[in-house]
Amino acid sequence: PDADLRAVTGLDHLYLRLPWSTLEPHRGEIRWELVDDLVRRWSPHGVGIGLGVTLKETNGDAAVPDWVGAKGRWVESGWSRDFEPEWDDPKMLVAYESLQRRLATRYAGKPWLRYVDLRSYGDWGEGHTSFGSKTVASAAVLERHARLLRRAWPTTLLYAVDDIVTQGVPASESTRFADTLRKLGMSFRDDSLLVRWYVDGHPTTGSVRSVDLFESVWRLRPTLLETQHYSMSADRTKDDTWRGRDGSERGGATLERAVDVSHATWVGYHGWAGDWMRDNPGLHARLLNRMGYHLRPASMRRDGKSIRIEWRNEGVAPPYRRYPLRLRVGGREVVVSSDSRRWMPGSVTETYPCPFAGPISVRLGAKRPVELALREELRESDGWYRLPDR
């Protein structure tokens, strides 16, 4: 329900994973309303959309539209019989790239579009065929998938699921393939947080299997985590990886560890928003103050005609945009030279020329100010923060 979603503190975007056959059931007839209706409902609230289009699902249907005439076979998933295409079918890939180009023509550059996923390979587009043929593709084939997506969306943030590197290609090709994805400007996401198999197999990394992939990109591009279905995690007859309020008995610490090792900016989950917020209010607040960046001016000192500020980033990632920094000293505004993208987790001290005397306030960001981790009484009504002169 929309009311439950609106109650999710810090909600940044909704993720939309669409089978191609649902989005374009007939050649050239794209159901734009599947995206546009959500945009109309949520963008006025500052909530964006992430988008991925799949070629294989496990719902008993074909995710590739019949009109494409794709080569492939029907395979058993364990609960349904599903169409798995030949991943290198040139006819299918040409038509799929045409779809992505039309999507990009309509949506690329929109302020609500957060990213587009590389979802063209594997079950649910997760980069593996564990619930299908259980085969792998060659890196050459999957590079074609990645390159066609980048051609269609040349300036948009793109994600690849980590399993496409670890399970999608032979182990001997994974390193080269991961390097290709990075060179194409892609970041990585993990869709398997709190899945029992990963919890048991990777206990020290919060069930994150591919820490090295996240380590290779987080300084340049935001990384993303998505959890197991919440109902399955909390079900003792299924995964049983979540127990207690805020996951206090099991799960909460695992998720927090995953945020730390992946340097995640975004964390998503499967499940009802109302259930999540009711069961995990404390953990939710802690995650919001840990994921992404969390900035505060830790100390300030005047030194002649300059001001020295120690900025502390208490999050796990830097800002990925260069936010303009302004000082207001004695009622006069000063725009100073600073690059917030360099503010990695930890501390950085910068010195700004300022010949004026008087009380000091700071503002980060232009159209919308970046909120700083300072006491509420220090925030002024116009988005500025007063700094203690010490």
Side-chain angles (χ1 to χ4, degrees), residues 179-324:
D179 189 51
T180 296
L181 295 176
R182 285 190 292 268
K183 288 179 179 178
L184 288 172
M186 293 192 180
S187 191
F188 293 107
R189 58 179 292 156
D190 189 335
D191 288 10
S192 307
L193 268 294
L194 299 168
V195 170
R196 187 71 197 217
W197 190 87
Y198 290 101
V199 170
D200 291 344
H202 305 276
T204 62
T205 59
S207 74
V208 176
R209 178 181 185 178
S210 309
V211 176
D212 57 324
L213 292 180
F214 292 97
E215 184 63 29
S216 70
V217 296
W218 71 266
R219 293 172 181 82
L220 298 175
R221 293 179 282 276
T223 60
L224 187 152
L225 300 178
E226 184 177 291
T227 68
Q228 163 67 304
H229 296 262
Y230 184 56
S231 60
M232 293 180 67
S233 293
D235 190 332
R236 298 192 181 193
T237 68
K238 295 180 180 177
D239 272 18
D240 191 25
T241 54
W242 197 275
R243 287 190 195 175
R245 188 170 179 81
D246 294 317
S248 55
E249 297 178 45
R250 179 181 299 169
T254 299
L255 184 51
E256 290 185 271
R257 178 62 177 156
V259 169
D260 284 348
V261 302
S262 66
H263 297 271
T265 286
W266 289 313
V267 177
Y269 64 96
H270 280 110
W272 295 106
D275 292 347
W276 171 263
M277 291 301 295
R278 182 194 66 243
D279 296 346
N280 306 290
L283 174 68
H284 188 85
R286 291 200 302 275
L287 288 173
L288 283 176
N289 287 330
R290 185 62 179 161
M291 55 195 276
Y293 58 86
H294 192 203
L295 306 173
R296 68 180 176 92
S299 65
M300 183 198 68
R301 190 174 68 183
R302 296 178 189 261
D303 184 10
K305 293 185 178 181
S306 64
I307 295 173
R308 180 176 298 176
I309 297 179
E310 177 196 1
W311 291 94
R312 179 167 289 277
N313 183 351
E314 296 174 344
V316 297
Y320 295 99
R321 296 180 182 177
R322 183 170 181 165
Y323 295 115

